[in-house]
Amino acid sequence: MRPAGRDSEFEPPDHRRHWTGRAARFVHPDGSAVPDSSGETNGPSAKPPRVASSETRRASMRTLLRGGRVIDPATGFDGTADVLVSDGEVVAIGPGLPAADDQVEIDVAGYVVGPGFIDLHSHVHTIAGQRLQAMDGVTTALDLEAGLMPIERAYAEAAAAGRPLHYGFSASWGSARAKVLAGIEPDTNIDAGLAMLGNPAWQRSSSKTELAAWLSLVEGELAAGALGVGVLLGYAPASDPAEFLALAKLAKQAEAPTYTHVRELVEVDPGTPADGSEEIAIVAAETGAAMHHCHVNSTSGRHIDRVLAALESGRSAGSRVTVEAYPYGAGSTAVGAAFISPERLKMKGLNPTRVVLLETGERIADEARLLQVRAENPGAPCILEFLDEDDLVDRTLLHQALAFPDSIVASDAMPVYWQNGANESTEWPLPPGGTTHPRTAGTFSKSLRLMVREAGVWTWLEAFRRCSYLPARVLDEVAPGARTKGRLNVGADADIVVLDPATITDTATYFDSTRPAVGVRHLFVSGTPVVRDGQLLTDAFPGQPLRGEPR
């Protein structure tokens, strides 16, 4: 597999540019300014532009980051140093690296320089969404909890449109089951995926023949380059646990991780076929499969103490279970999801007023209205409030999930929706009226603000370990291309974030959800600048696919 970001083209000497000072200004050797990219005004339904030739030239430039606080979670290095990047990778790190005419030099003194954040759980699938994530410090955005099918089409569509960030997908357990059990043809469009979630036809248990059929589909997707298997088990909570075990055996044979939205906890539904968090640890122990527990904060709610204790017990006994969390007290999904039915909400101690429709902002008034919306438009994206972030006790529960040893930060980012039905825009800043979950724009910056700046629970080294290094290691076995990510040493991919440790924070709220984070000063994807001096570059599309390699 060709490593992401390797470009064989080099800029001719007469087109060399130098970056002078902290004003992030390109100038020719003769001193004349090079025009900067400006925001496009194509509208929220515009097609994305092709990658500009100027981006290719920028990608090939050698870049020297001078005098920053360099963090490498792979080696534990935390100190002042220079970082030299060339041809998509880090080629030198150390104090006082020499200046040269063939490289751009950027003064990053006072800033923190580390490997770009790797989001294992992003459903944005758009330029608009990825740009919000870029401003949040993300350099690789992967849809692993749900996945897409067919996998080849998902990668082809992303490549054809162009992406600011690296991208990748898991095999979709839900789509494979829906095809076999309900005759629903898979579609890589996220709106079709959301609509499928509310269809009960695929949520039942499988016959032996059906099980073999959809397992075969999953196996084919892994052979085609999927980054493991996304398992939306919480959307089919009554399905036979034996099927999950069979899937884990397949994943182990393929040396591919699973990424699971677990089924209900026994405290919520005493009749559940298996307790969600205990099930994943038991199956991991029985099969030896690497199994990732998605958004442990939202699926555990007020039972986080018991869940984390169960997971730690399983890990201590040898289960290969990794855990992720995000710092918000509300989740987002399709309103037709099984766990948003009135009876399921009651089991969680919630009521319909905790549900807000994303596209219109309507807060569901009562059970009758919830049933109406679920019947008329089950795929409508919504927000479900499961904890109150203004309540000290609930806020402490959220912090516990983030503070759990080796807990990975992951966003569960959602697309941006406009009232005309569009969920894509190449305009920047984004057109007014767009709505999403604030975690799309602020998960990583909010986590840093809460856990480093305010609580002091994480050091900067620990923050980069959880946001960059650990998520990359989840992918090492299935995707050798991940092995040079999540680190900042010689030979690492030049996916780099430069942030201001004093100002990094989220700004998006549930009522103003597309406000970009602040504090990310520079962002490089394969050595190409995507954010420069806190401003997004609208002609930068250096994102490359991260794909699995079949065994």
Side-chain angles (χ1 to χ4, degrees), residues 72-93:
D72 178 22
T75 62
F77 179 80
D78 178 354
T80 302
D82 304 334
V83 178
L84 181 61
V85 168
S86 180
D87 194 25
E89 70 176 43
V90 177
V91 296
I93 296 178

Side-chain angles (χ1 to χ4, degrees), residues 256-316:
T258 64
Y259 313 91
T260 304
H261 179 137
V262 300
R263 68 175 96 226
E264 294 286 13
L265 303 178
V266 68
E267 292 94 340
V268 174
D269 180 9
T272 183
D275 177 82
S277 291
E278 288 189 355
E279 180 180 30
I280 194 171
I282 292 170
V283 170
E286 288 188 11
T287 63
M291 309 194 80
H292 185 70
H293 189 310
C294 295
H295 45 43
V296 70
N297 53 305
S298 65
T299 53
S300 302
R302 292 187 170 84
H303 306 289
I304 191 70
D305 282 335
R306 199 273 295 172
V307 169
L308 294 178
L311 291 173
E312 183 57 37
S313 177
R315 296 200 307 181
S316 299

Side-chain angles (χ1 to χ4, degrees), residues 445-455 504-506:
S445 52
K446 183 174 183 177
S447 297
L448 296 178
R449 172 173 62 81
L450 291 175
M451 305 303 286
V452 181
R453 291 182 54 204
E454 295 180 0
I504 185 74
T505 191
D506 55 309

Side-chain angles (χ1 to χ4, degrees), residues 94-162:
L97 295 181
D101 290 339
D102 66 343
Q103 64 193 30
V104 172
E105 184 170 319
I106 310 173
D107 177 10
V108 294
Y111 295 152
V112 172
V113 182
F117 305 144
I118 297 173
D119 191 355
L120 299 178
H121 193 159
S122 172
H123 304 296
V124 295
H125 305 172
T126 60
I127 291 170
Q130 280 207 352
R131 283 174 167 172
L132 285 177
Q133 290 210 274
M135 296 299 292
D136 200 30
V138 176
T139 52
T140 301
L142 309 172
D143 188 339
L144 303 182
E145 178 223 28
L148 291 178
M149 182 179 180
I151 200 76
E152 289 285 13
R153 186 195 304 171
Y155 277 108
E157 289 174 351

Side-chain angles (χ1 to χ4, degrees), residues 434-474:
T435 57
T436 185
H437 192 295
R439 65 193 182 195
T440 302
T443 289
F444 290 86
S445 52
K446 183 174 183 177
S447 297
L448 296 178
R449 172 173 62 81
L450 291 175
M451 305 303 286
V452 181
R453 291 182 54 204
E454 295 180 0
V457 176
W458 297 345
T459 63
W460 282 110
L461 186 63
E462 181 66 8
F464 277 94
R465 199 174 75 88
R466 291 171 181 262
C467 296
S468 307
Y469 182 75
L470 290 178
R473 305 293 69 80
V474 170

Side-chain angles (χ1 to χ4, degrees), residues 1-8 544-545 549:
M1 183 177 72
R2 182 171 175 255
R6 303 297 189 262
D7 194 334
S8 61
Q544 294 293 315
E549 289 193 359

Side-chain angles (χ1 to χ4, degrees), residues 100-254:
D101 290 339
D102 66 343
Q103 64 193 30
V104 172
E105 184 170 319
I106 310 173
D107 177 10
V108 294
Y111 295 152
V112 172
V113 182
F117 305 144
I118 297 173
D119 191 355
L120 299 178
H121 193 159
S122 172
H123 304 296
V124 295
H125 305 172
T126 60
I127 291 170
Q130 280 207 352
R131 283 174 167 172
L132 285 177
Q133 290 210 274
M135 296 299 292
D136 200 30
V138 176
T139 52
T140 301
L142 309 172
D143 188 339
L144 303 182
E145 178 223 28
L148 291 178
M149 182 179 180
I151 200 76
E152 289 285 13
R153 186 195 304 171
Y155 277 108
E157 289 174 351
R163 290 288 181 261
L165 311 179
H166 300 314
Y167 55 91
F169 315 98
S170 67
S172 175
W173 169 89
S175 294
R177 292 181 96 254
K179 180 177 175 65
V180 172
L181 274 62
I184 300 173
E185 283 300 316
D187 189 334
T188 55
N189 182 286
I190 190 168
D191 293 327
L194 288 170
M196 182 200 78
L197 294 181
N199 187 334
W202 70 273
Q203 298 169 14
R204 62 180 174 84
S205 297
S206 310
S207 68
K208 288 184 178 180
T209 301
E210 290 169 335
L211 175 62
W214 65 254
L215 282 174
S216 178
L217 291 177
V218 170
E219 188 173 21
E221 295 288 89
L222 290 172
L227 292 168
V229 188
V231 189
L232 294 176
L233 192 55
Y235 292 83
S239 58
D240 187 349
E243 297 184 28
F244 188 46
L245 181 64
L247 178 72
K249 290 178 179 177
L250 171 65
K252 172 58 179 173
Q253 184 178 6

